[in-house]
Amino acid sequence: MTLLALGINHRTANVAVRERVAFTPAQLESALTELRQLSQVHEAAVLSTCNRTELYCVTEPSGERIILDWLSHFHGLALEELTSCAYHYLDNDAARHLMRVAVGLDSMVLGEPQILGQLKEAYQSARQASGLGGELELLFQHTFSVAKQVRTRTGIGQNPVSVAYAAVSLASRIFDDFGRSRALLVGAGETIELVARHLREAGVRNMIVANRTRERAEVLAGEFNAEAISLNEIPDALARADIVISSTAAPLPIVGKGMVERALKKRRHRPIFMVDIAVPRDIEPEVGELDDIFLYTVDDLNEVIQENRRHRQAAADQAEALIEHGVHVWLHERRIRSSGELIRRYRDQAAELREYSERQALAKLARGENPEEVVRLLAHQLTNRLLHRPTVALREASGGERRDLLTAAEALLLDSTSTKP
């Protein structure tokens, strides 16, 4: 059997293709069932996120082509188009790839933690659909163990590497009770939405969203149970805000020095943390000259992000070493499992020979033949039957000058410590 990892991701396919190859939750059960019914597939699991769709299968050696055909047919995508952006890994490389995915080494954002939860969901879906056998069960369990080691023994997930996350991370250092802070978010685009998401995850529940069009502010505010205002209401909102994060496409600054000075007086000079992510800037640079104002620009955040990327890369190097060890351990366990199957088959074969010889001996005894002669013949025949196939194989190996097989046979068949039975 071959372990196969096959898929596409953000590096090999654009979003238009990734959308078409993604599996919705409603499709996943039927997809796993169909995949398992392919003649070459013995076990299967599907990981599908916004950045990747990957199939992990235990297959016959020729299973890859059949799975590609199935995937293109399931999603109505031309086989040539899918093949041009698909990648595949086999056996050790497949195990290594899964472990790298689990710890975020293959993610768009290095070390991002969400992928591990998504992988665990994929594992549970495969279990519920009876897609897992001993091979994938062992691999997933071992992968989760390696991912836990990486998370606890390296700092791969500790440093923010996006502008939105860096802004929230810096803000959390300013306030002792961050969760009780009130945040004013200026703009309603993708970056501000991500900032709002990070703020909520950090425990901030009090948010105000200001935007040029109030309707768009209300849409975003509705997602986070926040207050929506228009831009001309910012002066009043500033007096209530502990955190201000701004990202609009305005050509001129929205927040001026005088506006902030008036807000500080109303606040009795309680500090305000401000991050201007916009280019051109939304907040006048002179605002940073005021006491009790902590003003950061996108350039300041980029310095933080680059430094954090360096920290994460160092942690990623440690993670790679842990994964290599994990692959080695998994391979050892896999070999033990494989030898266990061989041992079972060999013992079953020996048991069949024993039962056959036993039936013959009992039949002779039932006919009244001499018990001593029956036992002697039983021992002779059983010995010959057990040794026949190994003896033939040894002669063939000798004739073919297969010293490797002869050496292995000597180690397996002969007891070098004693000449007695």
Side-chain angles (χ1 to χ4, degrees), residues 58-73:
V58 176
T59 77
E60 303 289 340
S62 59
E64 179 187 348
R65 184 68 185 186
I66 292 174
I67 293 171
L68 267 174
D69 287 341
W70 171 83
L71 186 60
S72 68
H73 181 265

Side-chain angles (χ1 to χ4, degrees), residues 132-273:
L132 300 183
E135 182 84 11
L136 284 184
E137 180 71 37
L138 173 66
L139 176 61
F140 274 98
Q141 290 298 337
H142 190 70
T143 295
F144 297 148
S145 175
V146 170
K148 183 177 180 180
Q149 289 181 46
V150 170
R151 290 291 168 184
T152 55
R153 294 170 60 180
T154 76
I156 194 167
Q158 294 176 358
N159 300 290
V161 290
S162 72
V163 169
Y165 193 35
V168 174
S169 179
L170 281 173
S172 67
R173 301 175 193 176
I174 303 297
F175 301 95
D176 293 332
D177 193 354
F178 188 54
R180 296 180 64 181
S181 303
R182 178 182 282 110
L184 169 60
L185 308 182
V186 184
E190 184 178 337
T191 299
I192 288 297
E193 181 179 354
L194 191 55
V195 167
R197 202 171 304 282
H198 288 314
L199 284 169
R200 185 173 63 181
E201 290 171 356
V204 175
R205 293 291 177 268
N206 231 330
M207 287 187 268
I208 304 168
V209 178
N211 194 52
R212 182 175 58 83
T213 57
R214 191 185 185 99
E215 292 78 13
R216 173 58 187 154
E218 289 173 347
V219 170
L220 183 58
E223 293 183 33
F224 300 95
N225 196 27
E227 178 185 349
I229 63 173
S230 60
L231 294 184
N232 58 17
E233 296 175 87
I234 287 179
D236 292 331
L238 272 174
R240 297 184 286 140
D242 306 300
I243 302 164
V244 178
I245 301 178
S246 184
S247 178
T248 75
L252 297 173
I254 295 171
V255 178
K257 184 178 180 181
M259 185 190 301
V260 177
E261 283 180 316
R262 290 188 291 274
L264 283 173
K265 287 180 182 178
K266 291 181 182 179
R267 291 174 58 82
R268 297 182 179 180
H269 292 275
R270 282 182 292 117
I272 304 176
F273 173 85

Side-chain angles (χ1 to χ4, degrees), residues 2-23:
T2 298
L3 174 64
L4 169 68
L6 183 151
I8 65 169
N9 65 16
H10 57 282
R11 292 190 182 90
T12 67
N14 59 38
V15 67
V17 175
R18 297 202 307 273
E19 286 174 342
R20 294 174 65 188
V21 181
F23 292 90

Side-chain angles (χ1 to χ4, degrees), residues 226-360:
E227 178 185 349
I229 63 173
S230 60
L231 294 184
N232 58 17
E233 296 175 87
I234 287 179
D236 292 331
L238 272 174
R240 297 184 286 140
D242 306 300
I243 302 164
V244 178
I245 301 178
S246 184
S247 178
T248 75
L252 297 173
I254 295 171
V255 178
K257 184 178 180 181
M259 185 190 301
V260 177
E261 283 180 316
R262 290 188 291 274
L264 283 173
K265 287 180 182 178
K266 291 181 182 179
R267 291 174 58 82
R268 297 182 179 180
H269 292 275
R270 282 182 292 117
I272 304 176
F273 173 85
M274 309 183 82
V275 181
D276 189 352
I277 303 176
V279 179
R281 283 179 280 189
D282 286 337
I283 302 173
E284 288 183 348
E286 293 76 15
V287 171
E289 300 170 0
L290 298 173
D291 293 335
D292 306 310
I293 293 295
F294 299 87
L295 175 61
Y296 292 84
T297 68
V298 68
D299 288 343
D300 298 322
L301 293 184
N302 279 331
E303 290 178 13
V304 173
I305 290 166
Q306 291 304 320
E307 180 62 24
N308 287 349
R309 279 203 181 109
R310 287 191 286 272
H311 286 305
R312 279 205 178 185
Q313 188 56 56
D317 293 340
Q318 293 177 299
E320 295 281 13
L322 289 171
I323 286 172
E324 284 306 310
H325 177 71
V327 171
H328 177 76
V329 173
W330 168 79
L331 182 60
H332 178 69
E333 293 178 359
R334 190 188 193 203
R335 285 169 177 163
I336 291 174
R337 282 179 52 85
S338 178
S339 67
E341 173 64 17
L342 178 60
I343 290 169
R344 183 193 64 77
R345 289 168 55 198
Y346 184 62
R347 293 183 68 90
D348 287 348
Q349 179 179 288
E352 288 180 8
L353 294 174
R354 173 184 55 78
E355 291 169 2
Y356 178 73
S357 299
E358 184 182 273
R359 287 196 300 271
Q360 284 189 320

